[in-house]
Amino acid sequence: MKAFYTDRFVLPLPEGHRFPMRKYRMLRDAVAQALPQVKFEEAPHTSDGVLALAHHPQYIHRVASGALSAQEQRAIGFPWSPEMVERSRRSSGATIAACRAAFRDGVAVNLAGGTHHAHADRGEGFCVFNDAAIAARLMQAERRASRVAIVDLDVHQGNGTAAILEHDDSVFTLSMHGQNNYPFDKARSDLDVALPDGTDDAAYLAQLDEALAQLFARFDPQLIIYLAGADPHEGDRLGRLKLSADGLAQRDRRVLDAARARRLPVAIAMAGGYGRVIEDTVAIHLQTVGIAAGYCVQVPA
């Protein structure tokens, strides 16, 4: 299985910043040690033209040139730097590359990504460019898939993804998230499942089963982009849900089983994870990659 990484492109963040930048290198190291069957490739750079499949050209130019206002930069949550721009391009490139690899191998992963709060004309919530929306549109432009489903199981609603794709019937957006969590002004996905604080494994998995059934009853995708956030975990400091590591493993298997039953390629992005103990977040992401590796088979032409 192919895994695409961006951890060489590190944002210079102030001391004490709450974004867990080091988890990405920790994750690649953990995958290398535990899963020798995973083959690593550095994520490719994404051009302005490809970014423009989901973002306004003026916004792309202002990000690249450092011309965002202080307020816009605060909404993103990172100070501007050339490294921020390049990492954001590479994060989108990793999901694009994972989509292409998934058509060949059944499953592939971006060891970062899931930047689902980025809108067409602005970033927010640690998200600059929306990798899932960009990748979905590019797979359509490359004629690999005309219909794409984005299954977003990060604990925060994929508001940017929903807004970008709101009027696009060729991409189905499913977001299952905490109803009282960020962003507090939700967008409208094709299917939103809002969960109360404290939702546990049993309740979560029952809701997921129903959501996947609705997705496939309403839409016939040719590709799934899966945002496998670690932040529904009970140990996440921003999550507010109560899923165990085993519950998250069952979540991942349900998504991958549904895809396998329909012979659909799946590209996985890690999305959020803000564990009180960073090693717990890394372990959950590692678990997702390990489960995905078990589903990596050749997709018939």
Side-chain angles (χ1 to χ4, degrees):
M1 183 178 75
K2 290 285 186 70
F4 299 89
Y5 64 91
T6 59
D7 56 75
R8 191 168 66 84
F9 304 93
V10 177
L11 276 66
L13 297 177
E15 187 69 28
H17 196 284
R18 66 177 180 169
F19 188 78
M21 183 61 63
R22 64 191 178 99
K23 80 170 183 179
Y24 299 105
R25 183 53 190 264
M26 292 172 66
L27 175 59
R28 179 156 65 102
D29 289 345
V31 172
Q33 182 173 358
L35 301 167
Q37 70 271 39
V38 174
K39 307 303 180 187
F40 297 106
E41 288 189 19
E42 186 168 270
H45 175 96
T46 306
S47 69
D48 287 1
V50 171
L51 294 174
L53 292 170
H55 294 284
H56 295 174
Q58 185 181 30
Y59 171 66
I60 298 166
H61 173 73
R62 291 172 63 238
V63 169
S65 62
L68 296 178
S69 69
Q71 181 178 359
E72 289 172 311
Q73 206 67 54
R74 280 195 300 272
I76 290 172
F78 297 136
W80 186 88
S81 65
E83 293 89 347
M84 184 207 78
V85 179
E86 187 61 20
R87 180 180 171 81
S88 300
R89 290 181 186 274
R90 299 276 179 164
S91 185
S92 295
T95 297
I96 290 166
C99 287
R100 290 170 176 155
F103 282 104
R104 181 183 62 249
D105 300 330
V107 183
V109 300
N110 174 358
L111 296 177
T115 48
H116 58 168
H117 299 310
H119 289 62
D121 60 350
R122 68 184 189 276
E124 62 184 43
F126 305 139
C127 302
V128 179
F129 301 128
N130 193 304
D131 62 312
I134 294 164
R137 290 264 173 85
L138 185 58
M139 293 308 100
Q140 293 174 326
E142 293 179 347
R143 299 188 178 182
R144 297 174 188 267
S146 58
R147 300 179 305 279
V148 181
I150 299 174
V151 176
D152 188 342
L153 302 187
D154 187 280
V155 81
H156 305 106
Q157 196 218 24
N159 59 328
T161 310
I164 290 169
L165 299 168
E166 181 179 7
H167 302 296
D168 188 342
D169 292 338
S170 69
V171 183
F172 190 99
T173 54
L174 162 59
S175 180
M176 193 161 143
H177 52 264
Q179 65 182 8
N180 299 318
N181 215 321
Y182 179 93
F184 302 108
D185 293 325
K186 307 289 195 288
R188 185 171 65 182
S189 309
D190 291 303
L191 177 58
D192 284 301
V193 181
L195 303 170
D197 291 358
T199 295
D200 63 10
D201 291 351
Y204 186 99
L205 294 170
Q207 292 273 18
L208 177 58
D209 287 341
E210 174 60 26
L212 291 173
Q214 284 196 48
L215 161 61
F216 292 113
R218 293 168 53 184
F219 192 73
D220 182 24
Q222 296 166 315
L223 167 68
I224 293 175
I225 300 175
Y226 171 36
L227 278 61
D231 43 13
H233 185 247
E234 59 193 348
D236 196 275
R237 56 192 165 87
L238 302 182
R240 304 174 71 159
L241 301 186
K242 295 295 182 183
L243 271 71
S244 68
D246 181 66
L248 288 165
Q250 292 185 60
R251 173 201 70 173
D252 294 341
R253 291 191 183 99
R254 277 167 159 78
V255 174
L256 290 163
D257 282 342
R260 173 181 278 180
R262 294 164 178 83
R263 304 173 75 87
L264 296 174
V266 183
I268 304 175
M270 295 297 100
Y274 307 91
R276 295 180 184 91
V277 178
I278 195 170
E279 288 81 6
D280 291 344
T281 298
V282 172
I284 292 163
H285 287 318
L286 173 63
Q287 174 178 264
T288 294
V289 177
I291 290 168
Y295 287 77
C296 187
V297 295
Q298 293 292 321
V299 175

